[in-house]
Amino acid sequence: MSDRESASAPTLVSLWTGVRKRLEAAGVDTPVLDARLLLEAGAGVARLDIVTDPRRPATLEQIDAVDALAARRAAREPLAYILGRKAFWKLEFKVSPATLIPRPETELLVELALELLEPARNARVLDLGVGAGAILLSVLSERPLARGVGVDKSAAALEVARANAAALNLSERAEFRFGDWAEGIDARFDLVLSNPPYVSEPEMAVLGPELLREPRLALDGGADGLDAYRAIFRAIPRLLAAGGSFAVEVGRGQAGDVVRLAEAVGLAPAPPRPDLAGIPRVVFGRAHT
Ligand code: GLN
């Protein structure tokens, strides 16, 4: 290789910079981080390689592979779908375009669930609209005696959830069922959880490019965003065991309405719990007994 060639041959760091600029130009909001993760995935290198050996020349295969991933991200495909995985709670979950990508604010729902579930009990947990399984499986991972059922009306999402349960060694305690909310479920549970679709019709009309790639089924909450809560709260009283609890994630500005839906079916919601941004994010409480 001549000096001229080696001076211009892409290195890991120059590849990273190139991808970063491309993502910036495409309007991606975290271009530095995304570029690094795409470089790691495409070139098959670890963060440490980039830091300790930044001038390592990239091979043609690496350049092509990184380029292909960068093109997808520049077309605003969500990073988690490109990588096929998303970190949530203390775990990593497989995700696909059939599942919503777990959000950091949803970890608050897991926290609440753990507050509501005494560690020493053989609790039964139900997750309505389980998606990739992030909520239910995170809770089960923290409560070794608990068992759970996850319901979804997407068969493709249930496949992802089952794969996640297997990867986390939780298959024996997690059962996944196809269904429309709680239809056909006659068991009772100590805790009912849900992060249902809650995006309202006006918000659905202006979804950003990444959100448009996520399943509409997991986002669309009907005209006012509250359709799923109506269905869920109609069912919750018959799903709760004596002394059982419920906790649901809500969208910005929905907590008051969801508290009223809970009260209307005889539940006793606590003051909604705010997320780190101060937005009331989880409506929860116990059944009257
Ligand atoms: N958190 C998603 C958003 O950012 C909505 C998820 C849901 O509808 N449950 O809009």
Side-chain angles (χ1 to χ4, degrees), residues 230-271:
R230 294 190 183 94
I232 289 169
F233 280 105
R234 256 196 308 276
I236 283 184
R238 69 166 174 82
L239 294 169
L240 288 183
S245 317
F246 65 93
V248 299
E249 179 173 320
V250 300
R252 183 192 286 258
Q254 293 175 330
D257 286 329
V258 175
V259 161
R260 280 184 284 282
L261 285 172
E263 286 169 346
V265 296
L267 299 167

Side-chain angles (χ1 to χ4, degrees), residues 106-168:
T106 303
E107 292 176 347
L108 184 62
L109 184 54
V110 175
E111 262 176 57
L112 246 308
L114 298 178
E115 283 179 31
L116 293 165
L117 280 182
E118 291 159 43
R121 282 191 59 198
N122 293 328
R124 288 186 48 92
V125 183
L126 175 66
D127 182 345
L128 294 173
V130 69
I135 299 163
L136 181 65
L137 296 171
S138 297
V139 170
L140 295 182
S141 76
E142 300 281 346
R143 290 288 180 268
L145 298 177
R147 307 181 68 80
V149 176
V151 180
D152 210 286
K153 51 180 166 198
S154 159
L158 289 170
E159 263 178 52
V160 175
R162 286 189 186 105
N164 278 320
L168 295 166

Side-chain angles (χ1 to χ4, degrees), residues 100 103 105-106 195-199 207 211 218-220 249 281:
L100 193 76
R103 303 290 200 277
E105 62 267 26
T106 303
N195 172 21
Y198 56 62
V199 182
L207 287 186
L211 274 152
L219 292 171
D220 188 350
E249 179 173 320
R281 187 54 79 183

Side-chain angles (χ1 to χ4, degrees), residues 17-91:
T17 306
V19 174
R20 188 211 356 115
K21 288 185 179 156
R22 185 170 179 181
L23 300 187
E24 260 165 24
V28 169
D29 66 1
T30 52
V32 178
L33 175 65
D34 288 22
R36 178 169 63 73
L37 294 170
L38 293 175
L39 176 66
E40 287 172 14
V45 296
R47 186 186 322 204
L48 201 60
D49 299 312
I50 307 172
V51 177
T52 59
D53 196 8
R55 310 269 157 237
R56 184 192 299 180
T59 66
L60 280 179
E61 281 89 358
Q62 285 177 317
I63 295 166
D64 284 351
V66 171
D67 195 60
L69 299 186
R72 291 170 64 185
R73 188 67 190 100
R76 305 298 292 273
E77 185 172 343
L79 183 74
Y81 291 159
I82 299 173
L83 300 177
R85 59 186 156 77
K86 175 74 184 175
F88 177 85
W89 195 246
K90 303 167 192 171
L91 307 169

